[in-house]
Amino acid sequence: GGTELLYAQAGYADIEAGREYNRDTIFRMYSMSKPVTAVAAMILMERGLLDLEQPVGVFIPVFLEQQVWEGDKKVPAKRWMTVRDLLAMTSGLPYGGDPSCTASMEAQAVFEELDSRLYGENPMSTMELAERLGQCGLAFHPGDDWRYGTSADILGAVIEKVSGMRYSEFLQKEIFEPLGMNDTGFYVPEEKRHRFAEVYECTSEGLKRFETDNLGIRYLQKGAPAFESGGAGLVSTIDDYSKFAQMLLNGGSLGEKQILKPQTVAFMTSAKMTPW
């Protein structure tokens, strides 16, 4: 009924400093950014500004010329990629780094350039990344298969185009501010950095700090980034994200704030995959 029955915490936000995790510890959400991006798309759909059957190319024209890798050559896509494909990850857009997939390695080259420009005077923007990935070949024809990949990043660029504002501004206005998610965003302000968690990886020598820029996201997350990743870029806290999750559990509202209609939440959270 919206009442917290149990809260538990464990572990350290900063091992070296002995700083334990707390309710207000700010952490990198990585792929838990994706549900937020899906809700943003649903908001625009409710308002009649975004149709799930619209081709992505309506908003980012390069996607109208999409090609697909078949063996060692590219062929024209059988149909346009749609907004629904982005939401369901049936777009054919892969993440980089899979040597067995030519499309993945082509995407990897784009992300390597993105990373190389992160700290320069000409960083890659959300829309530029989308346009660059749109020029890459797909792993399969849209709708023919499913693959976890960069679909949510492209969807963030689509939301920018439809809303006429930066993706971060849209999220702040339509989701974070109404829900009181005051510690959620694409970077950590200086006055909150003492609450920011470190990331660690398991090595043969034990836990070590993992301080690598990942998927075009600056590890330190200082200052507003040019690329606002709808798939992995947000930071948040336990309490902030619980407000977002509770809103969905409540059918689209939290307190007196309504983000989505109950029917939209039911549609968003229902199965969309084909039987096979």
Side-chain angles (χ1 to χ4, degrees), residues 19-272:
R19 178 163 56 91
E20 295 184 351
Y21 250 93
N22 287 296
R23 302 187 75 114
D24 66 349
T25 297
I26 300 172
F27 54 86
R28 298 160 181 83
M29 292 212 305
Y30 292 121
S31 284
M32 290 307 293
S33 304
K34 291 178 173 69
V36 177
T37 298
V39 166
M42 293 295 101
I43 291 171
L44 293 175
M45 184 190 74
E46 274 195 354
R47 296 174 184 173
L49 300 174
L50 187 65
D51 190 315
L52 301 195
E53 306 308 326
Q54 284 178 294
V56 177
V58 169
F59 312 101
I60 310 172
V62 69
F63 280 86
L64 293 176
E65 306 296 331
Q66 198 82 61
Q67 297 203 321
V68 180
W69 281 102
E70 289 188 351
D72 59 356
K73 65 178 182 179
K74 289 180 181 177
V75 300
K78 294 177 183 177
R79 69 162 173 82
W80 285 322
M81 181 193 304
T82 65
V83 175
R84 186 187 295 272
D85 287 319
L86 296 180
L87 285 160
M89 289 202 178
T90 55
S91 63
L93 290 161
Y95 273 127
D98 180 359
S100 68
C101 176
T102 307
S104 175
M105 297 311 294
E106 196 175 11
Q108 178 68 21
V110 175
F111 275 98
E112 286 175 358
E113 181 184 344
L114 171 61
D115 287 340
S116 71
R117 291 166 52 185
L118 276 178
Y119 301 98
E121 295 181 357
N122 183 33
M124 197 177 293
S125 67
T126 306
M127 184 58 72
E128 184 183 354
L129 175 75
E131 291 172 341
R132 293 292 300 279
L133 290 177
Q135 295 170 29
C136 296
L138 299 174
F140 51 82
H141 292 275
D144 278 5
D145 209 336
W146 182 93
R147 184 173 180 125
Y148 195 67
T150 60
S151 294
D153 292 319
I154 306 303
L155 190 55
V158 169
I159 292 167
E160 279 197 348
K161 187 70 173 181
V162 175
S163 67
M165 62 182 74
R166 291 201 71 191
Y167 186 45
S168 57
E169 294 172 355
F170 182 84
L171 293 183
Q172 182 65 30
K173 177 183 177 183
E174 302 292 345
I175 300 176
F176 302 155
E177 189 173 323
L179 294 180
M181 297 172 65
N182 300 321
D183 290 323
T184 304
F186 286 103
Y187 71 98
V188 182
E190 192 62 38
E191 66 272 17
K192 298 181 180 181
R193 297 198 66 81
H194 65 284
R195 294 195 276 125
F196 196 27
E198 299 292 342
V199 177
Y200 296 85
E201 62 178 333
C202 291
T203 73
S204 58
E205 299 175 356
L207 285 178
K208 300 289 184 182
R209 282 198 185 192
F210 182 77
E211 298 181 341
T212 303
D213 298 326
N214 185 41
L215 295 174
I217 301 157
R218 296 177 295 185
Y219 174 79
L220 292 177
Q221 298 202 241
K222 285 187 175 181
F227 167 50
E228 297 176 334
S229 171
L234 290 171
V235 300
S236 191
T237 64
I238 291 172
D239 278 348
D240 266 18
Y241 207 77
S242 69
K243 293 174 183 176
F244 175 78
Q246 191 65 53
M247 176 273 293
L248 291 174
L249 285 170
N250 292 347
S253 62
L254 186 69
E256 297 181 354
K257 301 295 183 179
Q258 183 173 1
I259 306 300
L260 293 172
K261 296 176 182 177
Q263 301 95 314
T264 305
V265 175
F267 170 77
M268 171 186 163
T269 55
S270 62
K272 298 295 187 297

